[in-house]
């Protein structure tokens, strides 16, 4: 699978282009940091990658991309469900037994530094723990394309650093991951950088 952007640009009616002439190939197993100043079109480009917004110029081709996941700025979960429940659910939805789902979920929670919070209800998690849980659940869902929108925007510096550290562990062979961010530490945790500020 892959996503190819060819000479892509976007603007809203009557406004200058946010960015233009963006040509890039997105491959599975990579984590792309989508950077640029406020107003450069990071969230807009995520919407375009998801197919929600049509580019004003150029084309976006999704080859063998059948499922798309999205992780928002603010983590959303079921208040009384445990962290383990949240990550096990995608495995159960794919037909895994509860035992297998829990085992897989435990491995992901460990990978994202959440072993200590495994049996904690979502409502009892800190902001950083909640956002790392969303990353773990996003990987558990195994989408072809995973879009992450400003994962540290609502967090203090220390908490944001724990999420950025977790992003260093997010790369997975079967998923293309794009992370919109203004945070240098988050950017540096990714494998590749797409700087909209450099092409706007």
């Amino acid at each position: 699978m892959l996503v190819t952007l060819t000479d892509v640009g976007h603007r809203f009616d009557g406004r200058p282009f946010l960015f233009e002439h963006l040509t890039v190939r997105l491959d599975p197993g990579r984590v792309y940091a989508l950077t640029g100043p406020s107003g450069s079109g990071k969230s807009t480009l995520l919407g375009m990658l998801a197919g929600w917004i049509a580019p004003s110029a150029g084309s976006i081709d999704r080859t063998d991309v059948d499922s798309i996941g999205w992780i928002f700025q603010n983590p959303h979960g079921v208040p009384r469900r445990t962290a383990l429940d949240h990550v096990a659910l995608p495995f159960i939805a794919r037909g895994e037994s509860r035992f297998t789902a829990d085992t897989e979920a435990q491995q992901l929670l460990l990978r994202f530094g959440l072993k200590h919070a495994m049996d904690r209800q979502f409502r009892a998690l800190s902001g950083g723990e909640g956002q790392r849980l969303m990353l773990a659940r996003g990987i558990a869902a195994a989408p072809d394309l995973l879009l992450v929108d400003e994962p540290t925007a609502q967090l203090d510096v220390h908490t944001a650093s724990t999420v950025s550290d977790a992003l260093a562990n997010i790369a997975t062979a079967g998923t293309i991951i794009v992370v919109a961010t203004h945070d240098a530490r988050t950017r540096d945790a990714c494998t590749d950088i797409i700087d909209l500020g450099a092409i706007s």
Side-chain angles (χ1 to χ4, degrees), residues 26-172:
L26 308 178
D27 293 300
R30 311 295 293 176
V31 182
Y32 297 89
L34 185 57
T35 66
S38 295
S40 61
K42 296 188 294 295
S43 293
T44 299
L45 183 53
L46 288 186
M48 293 163 65
L49 290 171
W52 299 349
I53 302 170
S56 301
S59 63
I60 300 177
D61 296 311
R62 302 171 198 81
T63 303
D64 297 325
V65 174
D66 298 318
S67 58
I68 299 174
W70 192 296
I71 298 174
F72 297 96
Q73 290 185 20
N74 295 311
H76 296 283
V78 181
R80 295 180 185 277
R81 288 288 187 180
T82 66
L84 182 63
D85 289 338
H86 280 80
V87 182
L89 181 59
F91 294 105
I92 293 170
R94 290 200 296 274
E96 301 285 355
S97 69
R98 182 65 201 230
F99 176 80
T100 300
D102 281 352
T103 300
E104 296 282 355
Q106 287 167 10
Q107 293 174 356
L108 275 175
L109 289 168
L110 177 63
R111 178 173 160 187
F112 286 94
L114 290 169
K115 181 180 179 180
H116 68 282
M118 192 175 303
D119 296 320
R120 195 179 299 170
Q121 292 181 345
F122 181 81
R123 62 181 180 174
L125 300 178
S126 69
E129 288 170 338
Q131 195 62 280
R132 281 182 281 149
L133 179 62
M134 294 302 100
L135 294 172
R137 187 174 68 175
I139 292 299
D144 297 322
L145 174 62
L146 180 61
L147 306 172
V148 185
D149 191 11
E150 297 281 4
T152 63
Q154 307 299 324
L155 304 176
D156 62 64
V157 173
H158 173 71
T159 305
S161 70
T162 67
V163 174
S164 295
D165 290 344
L167 279 166
N169 297 315
I170 200 174
T172 188

